């Protein structure tokens, strides 16, 4: 029983502990008649209200944190960072890049053209240049605070949707280039935004655009607009007109492609269009604009001797690895190349000796050597780096080692590779006579000459040695198909335009089988692809750079030398067997082509020729000339491709007016290079592998041998009757038998694989 002491101050009795007391219903408002009603409690609605009340409070807190925390962090970052001046940035840019041979000795230095550039004041840069860059790079420059929210959103959208285009303002680009940090991280972007904002709070817009134009990279080794004006137009920045300014502004986005005429003209047009859209250029001036052709790029401006074609390949390789052109001169880099000084010297000497005495000035040449064990380029000769222009002026030469040419018969090893991948072997038989017609092929296919023709029952091994066109055309048309050849070539290491290369493997017709038509391959690709045969079917990516170190000696890049099983995924033994059979077929080609291997070294290879197609205005004799010639061959330690030909389809001739052939220049140059480079190196030989055969080819070989035996016996019987009838020399029968075996018509012919292994002998 409760007493008064148990009552609360309000006069209510306290609720006993442990006993649930339901809440008293709340009174409802009075009804119209004045009576009052009670509200029935709803526990579910009460819980829902309490839950939403909690959610709202959490959202309020999160919203505050979302805006407050970043704001506080941004303020802290703002006061913690500094904006580097153009003079400070200039000290870190324009550093020479040192190139080293594979053994660590210096090859040369790449000194940027703008290394001694002048930092200009706002008054020294004409308004037309500033407006061209603002319109092209950051249309909201005059009004933004260092970053553009709409641009950032647009960049984020492009990242998500796979589109292109960034959201960086001129201030952000300045900070990024000044720091040299382009890492795709949130931390870097956050600091960049803070610095960009601080820059716009600290400096006038005129000073910001001037600072930007003093450090930005324009290509041709030129940092800053003054160096760019000199590099492209041979004048000061103050003398640039609106058309020249538009070209420089357009090249900021793609400085590494400044020498690509199509890209340069496209970027120039984009800059002019944006200048007009922003009101900096009238429609009349836009229509009247003429492309300002830059002065020729002359590589001889370098202070030290450096192979410009090697430099071009190295820069492209580094750009793909994350060291683009705008960072190339800013790290004090040392580039350890794969170039072997002895191999490079041997290549240049062999070419010079081979070209001596040639009178046709249209003949061009290239030589590339690759290490089969690593994929590293040992020697790279793309032709003369400086050539005479139409008016006798010096101009940069073309890198013929990186230009695609019809490979001719040097393509046939890839026909054979595809054939071997399908399980067929060197003892397979085709009709090697000439000419031959094929269904749906408008013209007959012919062999190159009498020595290239074969019998009606010609083995693949003999067809490779003789380079019999009709056999390989038949093989690809009816067995492997053009796609199979293209696949084998790419597996070996040929890079097409779809895979970052310049070669073309055209499968729209069967001309790929004999290396003609639209199929074209670079000498660099050919050397790398044959290196895969030399390595026993192991493919290493062709590369020029071992590693790169910065000014502190830290490794900035290191080549990926992982290997793949070229011709059989995850089956090194099968890939090795295929490559070994190709080598077995190519080894006899060397003596057949009147070439020799370096002393103590086994070698294999293939020549190639592309015939000239005469024009209507040429004499009929032009049909017997050639436009491209090749010799590609290898030992286990080096693969070398030599191309000697013309710029396009030219009727090239030797000193005596004879058609240009592989035996005239390409073959002797290859042989001389191999002799020079391998002189004094340990002897080497290829691994022996099991010959690839198929039941259908084995059965056919048995039938052929039986036919040959019968023919031989019949011939013997005829010889005996003739000899007995004449009473002649009793030794004539044995002499005839020996002669038959020597010329390959008797049972001694075989297929060169009687031991069950691929035969590497001639």
């Amino acid at each position: 029983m409760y007493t008064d002491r148990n009552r609360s101050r309000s006069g209510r009795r306290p609720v006993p502990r442990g006993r649930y007391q339901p809440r008293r219903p709340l009174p409802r408002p009075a009804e119209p008649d004045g009576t009052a009603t009670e509200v029935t409690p709803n526990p579910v609605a009460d819980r829902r209200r309490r839950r939403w009340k909690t959610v709202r409070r959490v959202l309020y807190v999160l919203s505050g944190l979302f805006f407050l925390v970043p704001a506080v962090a941004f303020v802290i970052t703002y006061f913690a960072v500094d904006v580097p001046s153009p003079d400070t940035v200039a000290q870190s840019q324009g550093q020479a890049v040192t190139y080293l041979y594979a053994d660590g000795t210096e090859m040369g230095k790449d000194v940027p053209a703008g290394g001694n550039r002048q930092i200009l004041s706002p008054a020294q840069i004409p308004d037309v240049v500033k407006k061209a860059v603002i319109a092209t790079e950051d249309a909201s420059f005059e009004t933004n605070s260092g970053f553009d929210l709409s641009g950032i959103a647009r960049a984020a959208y492009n990242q998500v949707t796979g589109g292109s285009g960034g959201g960086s303002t001129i201030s952000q680009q300045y900070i990024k280039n000044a720091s040299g940090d382009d890492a795709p991280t949130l931390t870097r972007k956050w600091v960049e935004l803070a610095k960009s904002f601080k820059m716009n709070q600290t400096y006038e817009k005129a000073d910001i655009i001037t600072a930007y134009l003093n450090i930005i990279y324009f290509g041709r080794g030129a940092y800053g607009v003054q160096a760019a004006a000199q590099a492209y137009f041979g004048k000061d920045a103050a003398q640039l007109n609106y058309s020249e300014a538009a070209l420089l502004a357009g090249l900021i986005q793609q400085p590494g492609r400044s020498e690509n005429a199509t890209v340069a003209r496209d970027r120039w047009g984009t800059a002019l269009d944006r200048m007009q859209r922003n009101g900096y250029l009238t429609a009349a001036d836009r229509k009247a604009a003429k492309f300002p052709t830059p002065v020729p790029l002359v590589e001889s401006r370098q202070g030290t001797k450096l192979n410009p074609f090697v430099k071009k390949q190295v820069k492209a390789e580094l750009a793909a690895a994350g060291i683009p052109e705008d960072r190339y001169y800013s790290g004090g880099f040392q580039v350890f190349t794969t170039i072997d000084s002895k191999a490079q010297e041997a290549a240049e000497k062999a070419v010079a000796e081979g070209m001596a005495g040639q009178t046709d000035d249209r003949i061009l040449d290239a030589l590339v050597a690759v290490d089969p064990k690593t994929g590293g380029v040992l020697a790279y000769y793309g032709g003369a780096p400086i050539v005479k222009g139409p008016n006798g002026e010096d101009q940069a030469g073309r890198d013929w080692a990186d230009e695609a040419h019809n490979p001719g018969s040097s393509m046939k090893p890839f026909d054979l590779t595809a054939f071997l991948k399908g399980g067929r072997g060197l003892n397979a038989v085709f009709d090697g006579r000439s000419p031959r017609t094929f269904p749906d092929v408008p013209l007959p296919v012919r062999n190159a000459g009498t020595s290239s023709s074969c019998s009606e029952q010609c083995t693949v091994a003999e067809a490779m040695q003789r380079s019999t066109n009709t056999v390989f055309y038949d093989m690809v048309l009816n067995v492997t198909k053009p796609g199979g050849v293209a696949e084998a070539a790419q597996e070996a290491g040929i890079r097409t335009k779809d895979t970052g290369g310049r070669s073309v493997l055209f499968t729209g017709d069967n001309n790929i089988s004999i290396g003609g038509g639209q199929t074209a391959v670079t000498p660099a690709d050919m050397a790398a692809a044959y290196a895969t045969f030399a390595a026993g079917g192991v493919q290493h990516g062709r590369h020029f750079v071992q590693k790169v170190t910065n000014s502190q000696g830290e490794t900035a890049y290191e080549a990926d030398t992982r290997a793949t099983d070229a011709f059989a995924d995850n089956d090194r033994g099968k890939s090795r067997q295929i490559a070994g059979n190709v080598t077995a077929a190519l080894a006899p080609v060397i003596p057949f082509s009147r070439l020799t291997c370096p002393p103590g070294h086994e070698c294999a290879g293939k020549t190639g020729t592309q015939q000239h197609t005469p024009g209507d205005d040429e004499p009929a004799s032009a049909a017997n000339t050639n436009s491209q010639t090749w010799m590609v061959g290898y030992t286990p330690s080096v693969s070398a491709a030599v191309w000697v030909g013309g710029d396009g389809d030219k009727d090239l001739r030797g000193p005596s007016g004879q058609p240009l052939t592989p035996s005239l220049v390409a073959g002797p140059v290859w042989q001389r290079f191999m002799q020079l480079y391998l002189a004094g190196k340990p002897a080497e030989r290829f691994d022996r592998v099991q010959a690839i055969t198929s039941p259908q080819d084995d059965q056919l070989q048995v039938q052929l041998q039986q036919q040959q035996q019968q023919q031989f016996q019949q011939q013997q019987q005829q010889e005996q009757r003739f000899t007995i009838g004449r009473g002649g020399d009793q030794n004539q029968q044995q002499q005839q038998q020996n002669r038959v075996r020597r010329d390959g018509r008797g049972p001694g012919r075989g297929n060169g694989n009687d031991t069950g292994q691929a035969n590497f002998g001639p």
Side-chain angles (χ1 to χ4, degrees):
M1 179 175 178
Y2 289 96
T3 64
D4 290 341
R5 286 177 300 179
N6 298 117
R7 296 179 181 272
S8 65
R9 291 183 180 181
S10 63
R12 297 177 182 174
R13 292 179 180 178
V15 178
R17 293 183 179 179
R19 180 184 298 177
Y20 169 73
Q21 295 290 331
R23 294 182 62 186
R24 180 175 296 176
L26 297 174
R28 282 188 178 180
E31 296 292 337
D33 60 0
T35 62
T37 60
E38 291 185 348
V39 178
T40 303
N42 187 342
V44 175
D46 289 345
R47 286 196 300 271
R48 189 175 297 157
R49 282 193 296 271
R50 288 195 300 272
R51 187 182 300 119
W52 278 112
K53 185 177 181 180
T54 302
V55 170
R56 284 196 302 272
R57 288 176 177 175
V58 172
L59 289 175
Y60 293 153
V61 173
L62 291 177
S63 298
L65 292 175
F66 182 80
F67 292 103
L68 182 61
V69 172
V72 172
F74 192 83
V75 171
I76 294 173
T77 307
Y78 178 91
F79 287 104
V81 299
D82 292 318
V83 178
S85 69
D87 292 293
T88 302
V89 177
Q91 293 175 6
S92 64
Q93 291 179 332
Q95 300 181 50
V97 180
T98 303
Y99 281 64
L100 305 172
Y101 285 109
D103 61 2
T105 59
E106 185 171 316
M107 181 188 300
K109 292 183 182 295
D110 182 8
V111 183
N116 298 319
R117 68 177 180 272
Q118 176 185 356
I119 301 297
L120 302 180
S121 66
Q124 292 176 303
I125 303 177
D127 285 343
V128 67
V129 175
K130 299 174 186 176
K131 290 178 178 179
V133 173
I134 290 171
T136 307
E137 291 296 304
D138 183 7
S140 67
F141 171 75
E142 298 287 355
T143 57
N144 67 51
S145 298
F147 53 85
D148 182 3
L149 292 177
S150 62
I152 294 174
R154 184 170 58 253
Y157 175 78
N158 288 333
Q159 287 285 336
V160 173
T161 60
S164 61
S168 296
T169 63
I170 281 177
S171 301
Q172 289 174 263
Q173 290 185 51
Y174 175 86
I175 297 300
K176 182 172 65 177
N177 282 273
S179 65
D181 185 4
D182 195 21
T185 62
L186 291 175
T187 301
R188 195 272 302 173
K189 199 67 176 178
W190 178 266
V191 173
E192 179 185 290
L193 291 175
K195 288 185 176 182
S196 300
F197 183 74
K198 187 170 186 176
M199 186 178 191
N200 278 263
Q201 301 304 309
T202 308
Y203 300 101
E204 298 291 334
K205 290 289 185 180
D207 295 323
I208 295 174
I209 186 63
T210 300
Y212 175 78
L213 287 170
N214 275 322
I215 74 162
I216 200 66
Y217 185 64
F218 290 89
R220 288 196 173 187
Y223 288 89
V225 68
Q226 175 67 8
Q230 290 289 345
Y232 285 94
F233 304 113
K235 61 174 66 173
D236 291 331
Q239 300 174 310
L240 294 172
N241 59 41
Y242 76 91
S243 184
E244 295 165 340
L247 177 58
L248 295 184
L251 289 175
I252 290 174
Q253 284 293 321
Q254 298 190 47
R257 303 181 69 188
S258 60
E259 305 315 305
N260 185 313
T262 301
V263 172
R265 187 174 289 274
D266 179 68
R267 294 300 303 164
W268 170 74
T270 297
L272 288 174
D273 291 341
R274 293 180 180 178
M275 290 172 69
Q276 181 183 354
R277 187 163 60 243
N278 283 268
Y280 298 149
L281 192 66
T282 66
D285 286 340
R286 173 64 184 94
K287 185 176 181 180
K290 294 183 178 179
F291 183 75
T293 304
V295 297
L297 175 65
V298 180
E299 295 289 347
S300 60
R301 67 176 184 268
Q302 301 299 338
T304 58
K305 183 181 179 182
L306 181 63
N307 186 317
F309 302 141
V310 171
K311 184 183 77 171
K312 181 192 73 172
Q313 295 293 336
V314 166
K315 292 177 72 174
E317 199 167 295
L318 294 182
I323 305 179
E325 180 129 356
D326 55 354
R327 285 187 55 204
Y328 173 77
Y329 291 112
S330 64
F333 292 125
Q334 282 194 316
V335 179
F336 293 80
T337 72
T338 61
I339 301 295
D340 183 303
S341 58
K342 181 180 178 181
Q344 186 68 26
E345 182 180 355
E348 295 175 4
K349 184 175 182 179
V351 169
E353 291 178 0
M355 291 295 292
Q358 298 302 318
T359 56
D360 191 336
D361 58 7
R362 299 172 301 166
I363 296 178
L364 306 165
D365 47 33
L367 189 157
V368 181
V370 172
D371 184 349
K373 296 179 176 62
T374 66
V377 177
L378 298 171
Y380 193 84
Y381 177 81
I386 302 296
V387 298
K388 293 297 182 181
N391 299 318
E393 75 281 9
D394 285 344
Q395 62 183 29
R398 286 172 62 181
D399 181 3
W400 296 107
D402 197 35
E403 295 282 344
H405 319 279
N406 286 132
S409 292
S410 63
M411 195 70 192
K412 289 172 182 173
F414 307 115
D415 301 350
L416 177 57
T417 302
F419 190 67
L420 294 168
K421 286 177 62 181
R424 304 291 295 277
L426 301 182
N427 62 340
V429 173
F430 289 85
D431 185 350
R433 295 173 297 177
S434 178
R436 284 187 61 193
T437 58
F438 296 91
D440 300 323
V441 178
L443 297 175
V445 177
R446 301 177 183 276
N447 295 326
T450 304
S451 62
S452 295
S453 292
C454 196
S455 68
E456 185 178 1
Q457 304 293 339
C458 184
T459 65
V460 170
E462 184 176 359
M464 182 64 78
Q465 178 178 334
R466 293 179 177 275
S467 197
T468 307
N469 290 338
T470 54
V471 167
F472 288 96
Y473 196 93
D474 189 349
M475 176 190 296
V476 174
L477 183 67
N478 296 308
V479 183
T480 70
K481 307 302 180 184
V485 178
E487 179 181 72
Q490 288 181 292
E491 289 170 342
I494 289 180
R495 301 175 183 175
T496 65
K497 294 180 180 179
D498 295 333
T499 56
R502 298 175 62 87
S503 295
V504 178
L505 299 173
F506 185 71
T507 58
D509 56 39
N510 206 52
N511 285 320
I512 190 174
S513 62
I514 51 178
Q518 298 181 49
T519 293
V521 183
T522 69
D525 275 348
M526 201 62 88
Y530 275 53
T532 301
F533 299 137
V538 177
Q539 200 271 330
H540 297 85
R542 183 180 78 248
H543 60 282
F544 286 79
V545 181
Q546 297 184 69
K547 68 175 182 177
V548 177
T549 59
N550 59 24
S551 56
Q552 287 76 43
E554 302 166 332
T555 299
Y557 166 73
E558 195 161 8
D560 182 0
T561 57
R562 287 177 296 181
T564 59
D565 304 320
F567 309 123
D569 292 339
N570 302 318
D571 190 343
R572 181 149 299 185
K574 183 64 176 178
S575 187
R576 176 176 174 271
Q577 186 183 24
I578 292 172
N581 276 257
V582 173
T583 298
L586 295 181
V589 173
I590 300 298
F592 191 84
S593 301
R594 295 182 176 84
L595 297 172
T596 59
C597 297
H601 299 266
E602 288 187 339
C603 66
K606 186 73 186 74
T607 57
T609 306
Q610 179 63 29
Q611 190 173 12
H612 168 61
T613 302
D616 295 336
D617 57 342
E618 293 183 90
S621 59
N624 297 321
T625 59
N626 301 314
S627 60
Q628 318 290 337
T629 63
W630 295 77
M631 176 56 204
V632 191
Y634 54 92
T635 71
S637 64
V638 59
S639 171
V642 177
W643 167 82
V644 179
D647 181 8
D649 189 1
K650 302 287 195 305
D651 58 329
L652 303 177
R653 298 179 181 276
S656 303
Q658 72 273 41
L660 183 69
T661 62
S663 62
L664 192 63
V665 182
V669 167
W670 176 86
Q671 179 174 279
R672 181 60 172 154
F673 166 76
M674 299 295 272
Q675 290 172 344
L676 290 170
Y677 175 62
L678 293 173
K681 293 185 180 294
E684 52 188 346
R685 60 182 304 203
F686 296 113
D687 293 337
R688 267 51 179 174
V689 299
Q690 190 73 22
I692 297 175
T693 60
S694 67
Q696 67 183 98
D697 294 332
D698 289 340
Q699 183 178 4
L700 183 58
Q701 279 296 312
V702 171
Q703 295 174 355
L704 286 175
Q705 290 175 2
Q706 290 175 348
Q707 292 175 3
Q708 292 168 356
Q709 182 67 30
Q710 291 174 358
Q711 293 173 357
F712 180 68
Q713 291 175 350
Q714 291 174 358
Q715 188 173 6
Q716 278 188 317
Q717 292 173 358
Q718 292 176 356
E719 293 284 352
Q720 287 178 343
R721 286 195 298 268
F722 180 75
T723 303
I724 293 173
R726 290 186 56 192
D729 187 354
Q730 298 298 318
N731 293 326
Q732 189 171 353
Q733 177 181 344
Q734 183 63 39
Q735 293 173 356
Q736 175 67 16
Q737 180 176 338
N738 292 339
R739 185 173 64 253
V740 168
R741 285 183 174 149
R742 281 197 305 271
D743 65 18
R745 292 195 298 267
R749 176 185 180 186
N751 62 11
N753 297 319
D754 295 335
T755 62
Q757 290 184 325
N759 179 23
F760 292 88

